[in-house]
Amino acid sequence: MLDNPKKALVSVRDVKMHFPIHSGLLRRKTGAVKAVDGITFDVIEGETLGLVGESGCGKSTAGRAVLRLYDITSGEITMDGIEIGSTPQSQLREMRPMMQMVFQDPQASLNSRMTVEAIIREPLDEHTTLTAQEKREKVAELMDAVGLNRAFAKRYPQAFSGGQRQRIGIARALALNPKFIVCDEPIAALDVSIQAQVVNLLEDLQEQFGLTYLFISHDLSMVRHIATRVAVMYLGKIVELADRETLFAAPLHPYTKALLSAVPEPDPSLARKTERIILQGDVPSPSNPPKGCNFCSRCPAVMDICREVEPAYREVKPRQFTACHLFNES
Amino acid sequence: MPDGALPVLDVQGLKTVFKTRGGEVHAVNDVSFDLKAGELLGVVGESGSGKSVTMMSLLGLLPMPPAEIRAGRVMFDGQDLLKVSAEELRRVRGGKIGFVFQDPMTSLNPVFTVGSQIAEPLRKHMGMSKKDAAVRSKELLQLVGIPDAERRLDDYPHQFSGGMRQRVMIAIALACDPQVLIADEPTTALDVTIQAQILELMQELREKLGMAVIWITHDLGVIAGIADRVMVMYGGQGVEHAPVHELFSNPQHPYTSALLKTIPSISGKRAARLTVIEGQPPLVVGTPTSCPFRERCSKAMPVCAVKVPPRFEIGEGHDTACFLADPLEIAHAG
């Protein structure tokens, strides 16, 4: 179905991640938060797949599920030809070096009692048999690669600014020569003038080391800059996936259209001309999604069928996938 | 838009310092601006640029010490807010000047119902009876577009979503028909589709109520959509003041133009590589003696290191604190 001319490094098929809700005196399972509810996509070798959506849509959970930081509810994940969807955590350990993660909050994701050197060295300690000297050299190389001054190796993370801390997190993710990195909102906590620095660094490293990224973000204009293809999530499902240019120029799904029109345009003459699609109401709870299409409660183009039948996610135009009844020729 | 209107708020030469163990941090340094009736002034800047501290200074909301307002004049309603008694200032705050903060979760009290929190300013400032305040609270919730307003008055903040909570905050700020509304990053914690709802609501309310608004944000996209005039802040200074179209089409300060280039857009041409402003925003310790942007500026000159640039007028309502615009410097260079 999703055959691509280039090789898919990561294939995700119908992955679900439901978190149980326990309540009552006996803490019985009374429901589930369907954070990720059946997503299917490929990440092609060397590309950056942007994953966008609003808070609570399940994009971070999806990123973590793909790396098997969770035990997923169901589905298949193939990483470089190896199926890891149901592999027990103990056996996943050998796979960890090739798949890494950069977290959103560089304040919280770095141990404040470890020096920068120790933080970047930790994956080497865990997964390699390098000598102390080799490790020191590798750490210094990594610090160079991400633009940190080697002289600061003995300092603690709190001595660094937000942008520099994110560089430390990136250096740690690179330590084991990974192929695939999930970047979970890597720039959301940074100032505008620093965001560009980190994004440029990620692009340079991708070229230098041949990395493949899953870039999770709510910042659509930044995703347009960095991503090769973009997937849009809403309430646990991918509603649309297409090449960057197609998605931003000719989106199909009504949610994608609304999301794009809501982004403030940094140009006053444009900003005041464009017709905004203002969505009414809020996102429903993922523990109790509406019947039929998840977006039916807010969709400006809702039809009767949308409240009954869930639309299938399929390739509507070449390389453009969407899940919407508007594009089902019946 | 409303040209020639008298300013409702006039801030001149505001200086705020924080006394810390590392020395005196000059958070706001000689900031001057005015706000005309009915207009929306956008204040842009990165974190630490002094935008919030400026607004908190003029409302007397900073803890003193460590903060100290060194100089300045804030004329509002015929009096200098920096000189009036704490009692009088309390009457102004929440009364004639309303404000909305960034995080709607922490700025509402979780143990009181939304209704009682909207009624509080009505009873305190307008001396309304409990019954009248309840009626007005309901109207206010309807005004900010909360469905089923009457029933929701008895709900607690946690029963509202983020966007709805921000609407409640706006309702509280509007309770006493303020002449000025100060909104400090009111949509930063919200998703884009919810932000779009709030921005639209704000435009509607301005048309309906005619108040003047100061809108603080780091998002130039938001500014482009709603502001009439803009003040760009950097390192505690207002580095550029301009009407919004002028600012985007003809930015004069190197920081403004660099900032405009670093942000990617969702339409238009996609740059192969993002323009970067190297380095970090400064922390101004001690009395400033140079341009705060000097170290990151690609056009820095010797004079930038020895003097704080004053504001040079470029055109109608447009000025910039940069020596590049100094007629004398231009003469030197020429």
Side-chain angles (χ1 to χ4, degrees):
Chain A
M1 170 173 139
L2 298 169
D3 55 320
N4 274 291
K6 280 186 237 155
K7 187 175 146 256
L9 179 70
V10 183
S11 295
V12 175
R13 292 289 174 272
D14 201 24
V15 163
K16 291 184 182 170
M17 184 65 231
H18 296 177
F19 296 97
I21 303 169
H22 298 282
S23 58
L25 193 58
L26 299 169
R27 314 305 298 164
R28 263 197 285 256
K29 188 180 169 223
T30 50
V33 176
K34 295 171 182 165
V36 172
D37 199 21
I39 55 170
T40 296
F41 60 87
D42 286 342
V43 190
I44 314 296
E45 194 147 16
E47 81 166 347
T48 300
L49 179 67
L51 186 57
V52 298
E54 298 179 89
S55 35
C57 73
K59 55 190 191 301
S60 288
T61 308
R64 286 161 177 254
V66 169
L67 290 184
R68 283 294 317 279
L69 298 184
Y70 296 127
D71 285 329
I72 57 173
T73 309
S74 67
E76 288 167 27
I77 301 165
T78 316
M79 186 77 58
D80 205 15
I82 304 164
E83 160 62 35
I84 59 164
S86 49
T87 315
Q89 290 291 349
S90 55
Q91 286 170 34
L92 273 175
R93 216 179 143 72
E94 299 160 28
M95 297 281 296
R96 292 274 169 224
M98 71 160 288
M99 46 188 199
Q100 289 290 323
M101 184 147 183
V102 174
F103 296 92
Q104 169 171 358
D105 186 352
Q107 185 86 45
S109 61
L110 302 175
N111 188 335
S112 58
R113 288 166 181 258
M114 286 166 82
T115 60
V116 170
E117 184 182 26
I119 289 170
I120 302 175
R121 199 185 55 221
E122 198 179 18
L124 300 171
D125 293 338
E126 288 291 323
H127 287 279
T128 67
T129 52
L130 299 176
T131 64
Q133 179 58 33
E134 285 168 332
K135 281 180 195 164
R136 251 198 308 280
E137 275 164 26
K138 177 83 183 165
V139 169
E141 276 168 32
L142 286 164
M143 289 184 74
D144 289 347
V146 297
L148 284 169
N149 191 332
R150 284 178 184 217
F152 297 158
K154 299 285 185 213
R155 296 197 184 180
Y156 290 88
Q158 50 279 33
F160 293 85
S161 68
Q164 287 172 316
R165 269 189 231 127
Q166 200 54 287
R167 289 173 195 264
I168 302 171
I170 294 169
R172 172 176 63 184
L174 287 176
L176 298 167
N177 304 319
K179 285 187 175 169
F180 178 59
I181 299 183
V182 173
C183 305
D184 187 3
E185 300 261 16
I187 54 164
L190 307 177
D191 262 319
V192 197
S193 74
I194 309 297
Q195 288 186 350
Q197 296 177 3
V198 172
V199 165
N200 281 352
L201 172 68
L202 285 170
E203 287 183 325
D204 290 345
L205 294 170
Q206 179 166 42
E207 199 164 299
Q208 198 177 340
F209 299 106
L211 300 169
T212 305
Y213 292 140
L214 178 63
F215 189 88
I216 301 169
S217 179
H218 68 274
D219 184 340
L220 287 141
S221 38
M222 204 51 99
V223 165
R224 175 171 184 251
H225 177 79
I226 198 173
T228 329
R229 293 187 306 145
V230 181
V232 182
M233 273 188 86
Y234 183 80
L235 206 60
K237 291 178 194 290
I238 292 180
V239 296
E240 184 159 1
L241 190 159
D243 290 332
R244 173 188 63 220
E245 298 305 335
T246 320
L247 190 105
F248 282 91
L252 290 176
H253 198 282
Y255 177 66
T256 315
K257 287 181 186 166
L259 191 64
L260 291 178
S261 86
V263 177
E265 189 69 45
D267 176 347
S269 39
L270 262 177
R272 282 153 215 241
K273 256 191 306 193
T274 41
E275 265 308 299
R276 288 235 180 97
I277 306 168
I278 306 276
L279 290 178
Q280 299 305 315
D282 289 304
V283 184
S285 160
S287 61
N288 184 23
K291 195 179 169 207
C293 174
N294 272 353
F295 189 52
C296 72
S297 58
R298 298 174 82 198
C299 183
V302 66
M303 302 176 291
D304 288 341
I305 187 176
C306 307
R307 298 201 175 88
E308 296 297 327
V309 186
E310 196 193 321
Y313 175 73
R314 52 190 203 88
E315 192 165 6
V316 176
K317 290 184 178 167
R319 301 177 56 78
Q320 187 164 19
F321 296 82
T322 189
C324 181
H325 288 302
L326 288 173
F327 307 100
N328 281 359
E329 62 275 29
S330 45
Chain B
M1 264 187 291
D3 268 341
L6 276 177
V8 282
L9 182 72
D10 187 13
V11 178
Q12 291 301 326
L14 187 69
K15 271 188 193 178
T16 306
V17 300
F18 287 89
K19 290 184 174 154
T20 66
R21 273 185 297 176
E24 275 183 0
V25 175
H26 288 242
V28 177
N29 191 32
D30 203 5
V31 167
S32 303
F33 64 92
D34 60 8
L35 180 70
K36 298 187 179 71
E39 81 169 341
L40 193 146
L41 174 71
V43 180
V44 234
E46 299 177 77
S47 32
S49 62
K51 43 194 199 311
S52 297
V53 177
T54 302
M55 299 311 151
M56 289 169 90
S57 304
L58 58 93
L59 290 171
L61 284 174
L62 289 173
M64 297 193 214
E68 188 190 320
I69 296 173
R70 278 283 160 79
R73 197 167 52 108
V74 179
M75 295 307 290
F76 174 75
D77 209 14
Q79 49 187 352
D80 185 347
L81 292 186
L82 298 180
K83 293 219 173 74
V84 301
S85 65
E87 193 56 35
E88 178 58 30
L89 199 54
R90 199 151 38 235
R91 266 198 289 278
V92 172
R93 273 196 312 247
K96 289 176 187 157
I97 301 183
F99 41 84
V100 180
F101 293 106
Q102 171 171 355
D103 187 348
M105 190 70 238
T106 50
S107 38
L108 286 169
N109 190 329
V111 300
F112 289 103
T113 62
V114 158
S116 71
Q117 294 186 59
I118 303 176
E120 189 187 341
L122 292 170
R123 292 178 45 94
K124 287 256 163 70
H125 290 291
M126 319 260 281
M128 280 192 186
S129 70
K130 223 172 179 171
K131 222 171 112 197
D132 291 347
V135 174
R136 175 83 177 126
S137 305
K138 194 188 94 185
E139 286 170 9
L140 283 162
L141 276 193
Q142 282 165 342
L143 181 71
V144 297
I146 291 183
D148 205 3
E150 187 149 20
R151 192 179 57 76
R152 303 234 61 182
L153 284 176
D154 297 326
D155 283 351
Y156 289 87
H158 74 266
Q159 290 165 295
F160 289 78
S161 66
M164 286 294 164
R165 262 183 238 136
Q166 202 55 291
R167 286 172 192 257
V168 172
M169 283 305 298
I170 294 173
I172 296 174
L174 296 179
C176 304
D177 294 321
Q179 286 170 271
V180 175
L181 179 73
I182 299 179
D184 188 354
E185 304 251 10
T187 57
T188 304
L190 307 174
D191 278 314
V192 277
T193 62
I194 307 297
Q195 168 172 289
Q197 291 176 0
I198 298 284
L199 292 178
E200 196 185 61
L201 169 72
M202 214 50 228
Q203 296 292 49
E204 267 176 47
L205 291 175
R206 276 180 66 209
E207 268 166 40
K208 224 183 273 180
L209 310 173
M211 69 212 157
V213 180
I214 299 178
W215 192 284
I216 304 175
T217 181
H218 65 271
D219 189 335
L220 284 161
V222 170
I223 288 289
I226 63 168
D228 299 318
R229 282 194 305 140
V230 187
M231 167 162 81
V232 181
M233 288 195 73
Y234 188 83
Q237 287 188 35
V239 295
E240 185 157 5
H241 302 70
V244 67
H245 288 276
E246 178 78 3
L247 186 90
F248 282 83
S249 61
N250 184 22
Q252 286 298 318
H253 197 280
Y255 174 65
T256 316
S257 33
L259 199 60
L260 284 169
K261 278 185 208 133
T262 58
I263 42 168
S265 150
I266 70 153
S267 61
K269 210 174 152 287
R270 178 182 162 272
R273 200 168 164 78
L274 293 177
T275 318
V276 160
I277 311 177
E278 293 297 345
Q280 300 291 328
L283 184 68
V284 184
V285 180
T287 312
T289 54
S290 60
C291 170
F293 189 58
R294 171 179 48 100
E295 281 170 10
R296 302 173 80 188
C297 183
S298 56
K299 294 176 182 152
M301 305 176 287
V303 63
C304 308
V306 294
K307 270 203 279 186
V308 179
R311 286 161 62 174
F312 298 101
E313 196 168 337
I314 306 284
E316 181 78 42
H318 187 178
D319 62 64
T320 175
C322 178
F323 285 116
L324 287 171
D326 182 356
L328 286 174
E329 281 300 320
I330 296 168
H332 271 296

